[in-house]
Amino acid sequence: MEYRQLGGSGLQVPVLSFGTATFGGGTEFFKAWGSTQVEEATRLVNLCLDAGVNLFDTADTYSQGLSEEILGKALSGLRDRVFISTKGTFPFGQGQNSQGSSRYRLIRQCEGSLKRLNTDYIDIYHMHGFDGVTPVEETLRALDDLVQSGKVRYIACSNFSGWHLMKSLSTSERYGWHRYVAHQVYYSLVNRDYEWELMPLGLDQKVGALVWSPLAGGRLGGKYGRNKPAPSQGRVVEGGSPVPQKVVDDETFYQITDALEEIAAETGKSIAQVALNWVLQRPTVSSIIIGARNEEQLQQNLDAVGWNLTTDQIKKLDAASDVPPIYPYWHQRNNLTLNPIPTFY
């Protein structure tokens, strides 16, 4: 297993991390992801550790805390060998303060996560989304207090816009508070919007990317393609995909799957492994979050490391997945001397 530095921090994390949204199945939405219980979760955790994957990602809102509870039990006796990443902000429970990143709620949610995970500290604590109602200063001061108290080691964000992240980093710098070292983002061959602004920002500010849904919610898992009948079962069909159906037009999607099939044949790897390996070669990526409903799926995903696509293969996938950027990025790309894009090769 390869390890990389998490953004500008000193923490080394594996390039693959294990996402546990499939644990629990406690709500209708998450049932479509999976309903892994403690016994199976423990086996999956041990498989990950055997492969060198020691970063486990969850969130309070995954099955309304059930994912955290199951992960905590599966990690029993292993705390000193693993890193735990969890998140706050999104709706949890009832009442007027059931969502957001206020001081009141963050401290309450962090303490709840600690209890459910059966741990004294969280290694990486994410804001699951930006709270545009609560002052940024209130959120970041609360997070700094959590770090100072020892309940949190590092703070990170997720699903932020460029200005959300830059304002947050600037505020942390102004007051000398702990800053976001990572950004958990959606990034895949199907949607490369992350490259337009958030990737250059990550490079400039040393914010590492933890990539969620690198297989586009399962669409790049090998079941979908130009000449393949649409599956009648699975997370996408059952409405459990976090990636909307129409984030890419059909022809672009088929160009991508055509290229993946060609390269899979060349390399002897699966389509999913090729798609995951492509993400691993991109700038700023510290780790990609893989999930699995069972041991077979997990092993398949673990085999996405230990080899690399060639530059020509990466260029083929880039060409197949390229789409025109929106404004102002297409305008900025008229002068790459003034606005250089990340170096991919």
Side-chain angles (χ1 to χ4, degrees), residues 189-322:
L189 272 165
V190 169
N191 299 109
R192 294 169 54 192
D193 311 6
Y194 169 70
E195 297 173 8
W196 298 348
E197 180 163 313
L198 292 170
M199 181 182 284
L201 193 164
L203 287 168
D204 182 73
Q205 294 294 312
K206 295 183 179 179
V207 177
L210 297 169
V211 179
W212 62 265
S213 211
L215 297 179
R219 290 184 180 86
L220 299 179
K223 296 180 180 179
Y224 293 82
R226 189 184 299 274
N227 299 311
K228 296 179 179 178
S232 59
Q233 294 181 325
R235 184 165 58 146
V236 176
V237 177
E238 295 167 14
S241 173
V243 182
Q245 182 72 32
K246 288 300 181 182
V247 292
V248 63
D249 66 87
D250 289 344
E251 182 53 35
T252 300
F253 178 72
Y254 291 139
Q255 287 176 189
I256 295 168
T257 56
D258 289 346
L260 284 169
E261 288 172 3
E262 291 177 19
I263 295 172
E266 293 172 5
T267 58
K269 303 294 182 180
S270 72
I271 289 172
Q273 290 164 355
V274 172
L276 292 173
N277 195 271
W278 177 88
V279 177
L280 285 172
Q281 308 309 313
R282 313 307 275 184
T284 73
V285 174
S286 296
S287 184
I288 61 176
I289 300 168
I290 58 172
R293 294 192 188 201
N294 53 55
E295 295 179 29
E296 182 182 358
Q297 286 183 349
L298 176 57
Q299 191 57 60
Q300 282 284 318
N301 289 336
L302 290 173
D303 289 341
V305 300
W307 59 280
N308 285 328
L309 295 166
T310 66
T311 299
D312 286 343
Q313 289 168 338
I314 293 174
K315 287 181 176 179
K316 180 183 288 187
L317 291 169
D318 284 358
S321 60
D322 188 46

Side-chain angles (χ1 to χ4, degrees), residues 104-122:
Y104 168 83
R105 189 165 189 280
L106 285 184
I107 293 174
R108 184 183 179 93
Q109 287 307 110
C110 181
E111 290 176 346
S113 290
L114 289 168
K115 183 177 181 179
R116 288 186 292 274
L117 288 162
N118 192 30
T119 184
D120 296 326
Y121 64 95
I122 295 163

